[in-house]
Amino acid sequence: MSTSPRLIECVPNFSEGSDMALIKRLTDAIEAVDGVRLLDVDPGKATNRTVVTFAGEPEPVLEAAVACVTLAAELIDMSKHHGEHPRFGATDVCPLVPISGVTMDECVEFAHELGKRLGAAGISGYFYENAAKVEGRRNLAVVRAGEYEGLEKKLADPAWAPDFGSAKFNPRAGVTAVSARDFLVAYNVNLNTTSTRRANAIAYDVREKGRQKRGGDGLTGPLERDADGNPVWIPGSLKCVKGIGWFIEEYGVAQISMNLTNIAVTPVHVAFDEVDAKARERGIRTTGSELVGLIPLSAMLAAGDHYLAKQERSLGISDAEKIKIAVKSMGLDELGPFVPEEKIIEYVLAKDEPKKLVELSVADFIEETASESMAPGGGSVAAQLGALGAALGTMVANLAAHKRGWDDRWRSFSDHAVAGKACMNELVRLVDADTDAFNAIMDAFRLPSDSEAEEAAKTAAVEAATRLAIETPLRTMQVCVDSMATIKAMAEEGNPASVSDAGVGALCARSGAIGAELNVRINAKDLTDEAARGAFLARARDLRASAEALEAEILAIVESKL
C-alpha cells in the first residue's frame, strides 16, 4: 500500500521587494534543484521584502534553501536596506514546515541540519520557535529585537552568540533566523484609515502579547512594572497571533499585519472578525484583507462555513462556493484577484499531477470506460454511481435548507447536506482509488522473480496489492450505505417536489454498493489468506444486505409521495 510522501515546506523571507530581476535569480536557484516545487513568490514594495514558498522531500528542500540563502547574501546589501517590516538579514527568516509524512521533531532536526550547512557556507544566524536550542530564543521578536541596526552590538554580546556561523558582524548579509514551525498564515487586514497610530492601537487590542500597561489615563501615563521591575502587559484578545499596524504607501491605507501561528487556535476568519470588531470600537472599519503566501484549504473551507452559518445557509455546498464566500466575506480580493489555484497550498501542489478520472468530462469518462483499457472498470464505475447517489441526497438537503418558509429548519437540513457531501467526496476519491488499486496488482505481477528472494518479494507484493483491491471496493460499499441515511432522511423530510430525486439517489447508492461487492468477491478469489478472505466476504454480504434493505425502505417512502 502507498504511504504519504515525506514533504516539507520552506518559506524564506528575502529583504528585497522591488528588484524583480534579483528576486528571479533567487527563485531560479531554488528551481534548479531537482525535486523541489516553487509554490509562491510574493514581493512587497513597501515592506521591501519577498516571501517565497517551495516544497519537496527534505533533502532537496535543504539543498535549495542553502542555495537561495547563500545567493541572497551575495546579492542583497543590508547596509542599504529600508522597509516597513522588521528584519536583520538578507534572508531574514527561513522556516521549515512539515507538510506530510514528517513529524515536527523530524522537522526540527532538518532545521538544525540547515543551520549547520548555512554556517559552513558563511551564513550566521539563530534558531527560533520549535528549533530553538536556547529557551529565550523561541520568540522571533526577541531574537530579532534591535533589528539590523542593532545587530553588530548584539553579536558582540556573548549572551547572543549565534547558534550557527561566525559571531563576526557581516554588514552585507546580516544574519538569518531558522526555525521549524507549524503552518503559519501571514495575513493583513485593510482599514479605512491612513493612521499608523490607530492601526497599531487595534493591533495591540488583538495580538496575544497585547500592550504594556500604563498608569494614569492608561494612554500617556508611566509604564507600570511588577515587583521585579519587568513591564506589565495587558494581553490582547487573540491567542497565537502576532501583529503590528503600518501604513502601506502603494495601497494608500493602513493595515493590521498579523502572523497567525496556530490557525487551529485562531483561524483566519476569527482574526478578521475580531479586527473588524475592535476597529469599529475606534470608529474605523475593515475594508478587506490579503494573504501573504499560501493558506491550507481547510482554513478557507472553515471560513466559508463560518460565514455561511451567519447567513443561515447550508454548509453542504461545493468547496468552490465555500471559497468564494470566504473570499468575499473577508475581502481577500480587495487589493488584487484571489486565485485559489495560486493561493491554496493543496491546489498549488496538485497543479502538475496527472489528470484524474474524476477530472474528465462525463463524456470523456464514459469514452475512457468503453475503451480497450482495462481501467477504469466496474469498481470505479460503482464508486461513480455511489457518488451520484450521494450528490442527489445532498442536493435535496441543500434545496430544503434554502426553501422559503423553512428557515427555522436550515441547520437540520444543512447537517444532512454536510453528511451527504462527505460521502460524495469520499466516493469521488474512490473512483480513482479503485483504478489505482487495480494498477497496483498489475505492477506487482510485473516484478522480477528470477531468484528465491525476488519470488518471495513478488508474492508478498501481490498479496498486499490484492488486499488493497478488496479493501477499496469494500470501502465503496460502506460509504454507499452511509450515504443512504441522508437520502432516506430527504425522502422523509425534504421538499415533496424533490422526492423523486431522493429515489434516484437510492437506486444509485444501492447499485454502487452491489457493483463494489462484485469487485470484492472477484478479487477475494486471489487472496491466499483464507481467514482474511472469509472476513472480507462476510462484511461484503452484510453491506449488500443493508444497501438492499435501505433501498426498499426509501423507495417505499418515495412511492407513497408520488
Side-chain angles (χ1 to χ4, degrees):
M1 295 178 66
S2 62
T3 57
S4 298
R6 286 170 57 80
L7 296 175
I8 62 173
E9 181 184 75
C10 184
V11 194
N13 288 213
F14 300 112
S15 295
E16 175 57 60
S18 300
D19 188 338
M20 298 310 296
L22 186 155
I23 295 167
K24 180 68 162 53
R25 290 183 65 181
L26 294 172
T27 57
D28 284 348
I30 293 167
E31 291 190 288
V33 178
D34 288 339
V36 167
R37 288 277 308 282
L38 182 66
L39 301 178
D40 188 64
V41 181
D42 199 330
K45 291 182 180 180
T47 58
N48 201 10
R49 185 183 186 89
T50 297
V51 179
V52 174
T53 307
F54 59 93
E57 294 191 357
E59 181 52 40
V61 166
L62 295 184
E63 183 182 341
V66 173
C68 66
V69 172
T70 53
L71 181 59
E74 297 174 17
L75 300 179
I76 299 172
D77 187 350
M78 287 302 296
S79 67
K80 301 176 181 177
H81 183 272
H82 298 282
E84 295 291 336
H85 200 289
R87 79 284 180 270
F88 65 177
T91 304
D92 187 54
V93 296
C94 192
L96 300 179
V97 183
I99 299 297
S100 70
V102 175
T103 66
M104 179 56 73
D105 286 343
E106 290 173 321
C107 207
V108 167
E109 292 179 11
F110 293 134
H112 291 162
E113 174 63 20
L114 174 57
K116 179 180 177 181
R117 294 188 193 185
L118 290 175
I123 306 296
S124 301
Y126 300 97
F127 295 121
Y128 71 102
E129 292 195 3
N130 291 302
K133 291 188 173 183
V134 178
E135 185 60 32
R137 298 181 182 180
R138 290 185 67 85
N139 190 320
L140 176 59
V142 173
V143 173
R144 198 165 51 192
E147 298 186 43
Y148 173 80
E149 288 73 16
L151 186 56
E152 185 173 12
K153 182 179 179 181
K154 175 178 279 190
L155 288 170
D157 182 352
W160 279 100
D163 292 311
F164 55 88
S166 169
K168 183 179 178 181
F169 176 55
N170 182 336
R172 185 176 184 87
V175 297
T176 296
V178 173
S179 75
R181 60 162 173 78
D182 291 315
F183 202 101
L184 178 148
V185 174
Y187 182 56
N188 301 331
V189 178
N190 312 323
L191 304 172
N192 68 334
T193 183
T194 58
S195 171
T196 301
R197 181 168 71 85
R198 286 170 174 77
N200 260 318
I202 297 167
Y204 298 159
D205 287 340
V206 300
R207 69 182 187 180
E208 181 172 14
K209 186 178 181 180
R211 55 167 51 83
Q212 284 189 257
K213 187 176 182 180
R214 290 181 177 273
D217 61 7
L219 293 175
T220 61
L223 294 174
E224 293 192 4
R225 298 184 178 275
D226 61 20
D228 297 324
N230 299 313
V232 177
W233 289 84
I234 303 172
S237 56
L238 297 177
K239 298 290 187 182
C240 301
V241 173
K242 301 174 183 179
I244 59 172
W246 60 26
F247 176 76
I248 300 299
E249 189 73 38
E250 61 186 296
Y251 302 143
V253 297
Q255 289 183 322
I256 309 299
S257 177
M258 293 179 285
N259 280 343
L260 311 182
T261 60
N262 188 334
I263 54 175
V265 175
T266 298
V268 175
H269 59 272
V270 170
F272 179 82
D273 285 357
E274 184 66 5
V275 168
D276 185 61
K278 296 299 185 184
R280 288 178 185 275
E281 290 176 8
R282 295 177 178 274
I284 297 168
R285 72 176 184 86
T286 58
T287 61
S289 61
E290 66 170 342
L291 284 167
V292 181
L294 303 180
I295 188 170
L297 174 61
S298 59
M300 291 299 293
L301 297 182
D305 284 347
H306 170 73
Y307 293 110
L308 283 167
K310 280 179 169 288
Q311 299 170 25
E312 297 189 348
R313 288 190 56 199
S314 174
L315 311 188
I317 62 175
S318 71
D319 289 357
E321 285 297 310
K322 287 186 180 184
I323 292 167
K324 184 187 297 184
I325 292 291
V327 169
K328 291 301 180 184
S329 299
M330 296 185 290
L332 284 166
D333 54 357
E334 182 191 15
L335 302 178
F338 184 94
V339 182
E341 292 75 19
E342 296 175 0
K343 300 300 291 183
I344 297 175
I345 187 168
E346 289 87 344
Y347 293 173
V348 175
L349 287 170
K351 274 183 181 177
D352 297 331
E353 290 182 357
K355 197 166 188 178
K356 297 178 180 179
L357 290 171
V358 293
E359 294 171 339
L360 299 175
S361 69
V362 174
D364 287 343
F365 182 88
I366 293 170
E367 289 286 352
E368 182 65 23
T369 303
S371 72
E372 294 177 346
S373 171
M374 295 179 67
S380 291
V381 171
Q384 184 81 293
L385 277 170
L388 288 169
L392 282 167
T394 303
M395 178 196 78
V396 177
N398 279 326
L399 289 172
H402 205 52
K403 180 176 169 57
R404 184 188 298 273
W406 287 14
D407 294 341
D408 60 334
R409 302 172 63 190
W410 80 270
R411 174 63 76 178
S412 173
F413 287 121
S414 174
D415 290 344
H416 285 304
V418 169
K421 182 171 179 282
C423 292
M424 180 189 77
N425 288 346
E426 175 72 352
L427 288 161
V428 166
R429 183 192 69 81
L430 286 162
V431 172
D432 280 279
D434 195 90
T435 294
D436 291 343
F438 172 80
N439 290 334
I441 290 179
M442 295 297 99
D443 290 343
F445 275 117
R446 294 189 189 101
L447 291 173
S449 55
D450 298 329
S451 67
E452 287 188 14
E454 288 181 344
E455 180 66 35
K458 179 177 180 177
T459 299
V462 169
E463 184 79 354
T466 301
R467 277 181 172 268
L468 180 62
I470 298 168
E471 291 167 349
T472 302
L474 198 60
R475 179 62 183 162
T476 296
M477 294 188 72
Q478 180 65 66
V479 183
C480 283
V481 170
D482 292 344
S483 74
M484 296 176 87
T486 295
I487 297 169
K488 182 180 179 182
M490 291 306 96
E492 292 173 329
E493 305 169 26
N495 189 340
S498 299
V499 72
S500 61
D501 297 307
V504 175
L507 292 169
C508 288
R510 185 268 293 160
S511 297
I514 294 178
E517 190 246 2
L518 298 178
N519 278 266
V520 170
R521 287 163 60 188
I522 196 166
N523 292 329
K525 291 168 61 178
D526 297 323
L527 195 65
T528 60
D529 185 335
E530 294 185 7
R533 181 170 65 244
F536 284 138
L537 292 174
R539 179 64 181 150
R541 283 194 299 270
D542 289 345
L543 287 170
R544 175 169 178 161
S546 295
E548 291 174 334
L550 282 166
E551 179 204 34
E553 292 175 22
I554 295 167
L555 289 181
I557 297 168
V558 172
E559 290 288 352
S560 71
K561 295 187 176 184
L562 290 178

